[in-house]
Amino acid sequence: MKLVRYGRSGKEKPGLIDAEGRVRDLSGVVDDIGPDQLSDKVLKRLAKIKPESLPLVRGNPRRGVPLARVGKFIGIGLNYSDHAAEAGMAIPKEPIVFMKATSCLSGPDDPVMLPKGSKKTDWEVELGVVIGTVARSVSEKDALSHVAGYCVVNDVSEREYQLERGTQWDKGKGCDTFGPVGPWLVTRDEVPNPQRLELWLDLNGKRVQSGNTKTMIFSVAKLVSYVSRFMTLMPGDIITTGTPPGVGMGMKPPQFLKRGDELVLGIEGLGEQRQSVVAYKAA
């Protein structure tokens, strides 16, 4: 099942994607898609609905973040060995954990805005993991049972802010628009093995990132288990699990985003995002 939220920013409605890829309106069944709708019980109830029984959404509405009221947006760094190598960093012995501000969340096709004064804004296609039930110090064996589903994330990063202004990565990870998520949330039952998914990202029509989650250093199950030791994972939390090689920082010479650039990125079975890069604009 593919769950979506569509409509103007801040006014999104819940929906699901039918077999033809069309949006069906779920607002007569649930008021939104958020933490309260992510339990196995509720997802099983939604899965029993025949999509053709729901109103068809006409046109091509904007798609928002497929999940409302995200509590924590957790990032994992250097989780592909070949990406660590291109960044000139050692392969981590334990997962590197950082936080992305929830204020950076944006729809999958919303513009990416360069921060004021930015010179090193970069792209990162990643597998996002959405928590469905409370996870506190869970075992690796049980970890995936706490996952509601998966989604595409672009972990947009400003490298100067991240790496040249102290030891904390968060400053380069949480700028406005730096967290495109979607186009939809694909429930766990449709992703039997999250370690066998192709990822890619095109910059201005040229393939720059290509990888597979099988080359992750730490698996999704390992990450959920590990992070749950240090913080309780709640329904609606998102973990974005690292990126394969091909980021701008690793190019020779390095290449970073500029106004007018176009990004297209996706993950096998989880859909695509499309973003235009725009200049900074004050709120």
Side-chain angles (χ1 to χ4, degrees):
M1 183 169 54
K2 296 178 176 68
L3 298 172
V4 67
R5 296 173 69 246
Y6 66 94
R8 291 186 296 115
S9 180
K11 302 290 185 180
E12 292 92 346
K13 288 182 165 185
L16 61 78
I17 304 298
D18 67 18
E20 285 74 44
R22 301 174 299 183
V23 179
R24 297 282 180 165
D25 182 15
L26 262 178
S27 59
V29 181
V30 292
D31 60 356
D32 208 341
I33 298 166
D36 294 340
Q37 287 75 42
L38 297 179
S39 68
D40 287 347
K41 180 179 179 180
V42 174
L43 292 178
K44 286 178 181 176
R45 177 167 63 87
L46 295 179
K48 292 179 180 178
I49 298 172
K50 294 181 178 180
E52 60 271 20
S53 70
L54 299 171
L56 179 65
V57 177
R58 302 292 179 180
N60 186 28
R62 169 189 173 271
R63 288 173 181 162
V65 179
L67 177 67
R69 301 184 300 282
V70 174
K72 294 190 286 296
F73 196 4
I74 303 159
I76 304 296
L78 303 178
N79 196 31
Y80 291 72
S81 57
D82 36 12
H83 171 55
E86 73 173 350
M89 299 180 183
I91 294 174
K93 295 180 180 179
E94 293 191 35
I96 295 172
V97 179
F98 60 89
M99 305 297 287
K100 287 178 74 76
T102 54
S103 56
C104 82
L105 287 162
S106 61
D109 302 329
D110 291 345
V112 167
M113 182 177 68
L114 299 171
K116 186 177 183 180
S118 166
K119 296 180 180 179
K120 296 184 178 181
T121 295
D122 208 344
W123 56 84
E124 297 189 24
V125 59
E126 303 195 3
L127 172 65
V129 179
V130 177
I131 301 300
T133 56
V134 174
R136 183 184 297 114
S137 294
V138 299
S139 68
E140 190 171 339
K141 179 173 67 88
D142 294 333
L144 294 186
S145 67
H146 293 270
V147 172
Y150 302 91
C151 55
V152 182
V153 174
N154 189 356
D155 176 20
V156 186
S157 307
E158 213 297 344
R159 302 302 189 187
E160 181 190 9
Y161 300 175
Q162 175 190 356
L163 301 171
E164 300 175 31
R165 297 194 177 186
T167 60
Q168 303 302 311
W169 288 14
D170 302 47
K171 287 177 285 187
K173 295 288 190 174
C175 303
D176 290 350
T177 76
F178 272 26
V181 178
W184 39 66
L185 168 65
V186 180
T187 51
R188 185 179 76 234
D189 58 298
E190 291 197 12
V191 187
N193 187 353
Q195 305 307 144
R196 289 292 184 272
L197 301 175
E198 296 284 338
L199 309 86
W200 68 90
L201 183 145
D202 294 345
L203 173 64
N204 298 325
K206 179 183 178 182
R207 181 66 44 93
V208 292
Q209 280 193 281
S210 183
N212 192 293
T213 56
K214 68 184 179 183
T215 66
M216 281 183 177
I217 298 168
F218 305 106
S219 69
V220 171
K222 174 68 175 180
L223 292 174
V224 172
S225 174
Y226 181 86
V227 174
S228 78
R229 291 168 48 194
F230 302 100
M231 62 190 83
T232 298
L233 295 172
M234 302 296 292
D237 289 349
I238 299 174
I239 302 174
T240 188
T241 57
T243 198
V247 300
M249 177 176 63
M251 293 182 173
K252 300 187 187 307
Q255 180 178 350
F256 298 110
L257 293 172
K258 61 185 184 303
R259 184 178 63 179
D261 282 344
E262 298 287 336
L263 296 165
V264 180
L265 56 145
I267 300 178
E268 177 185 355
L270 303 185
E272 284 190 354
Q273 302 183 354
R274 294 176 177 267
Q275 295 129 22
S276 298
V277 178
V278 299
Y280 172 78
K281 183 180 180 180

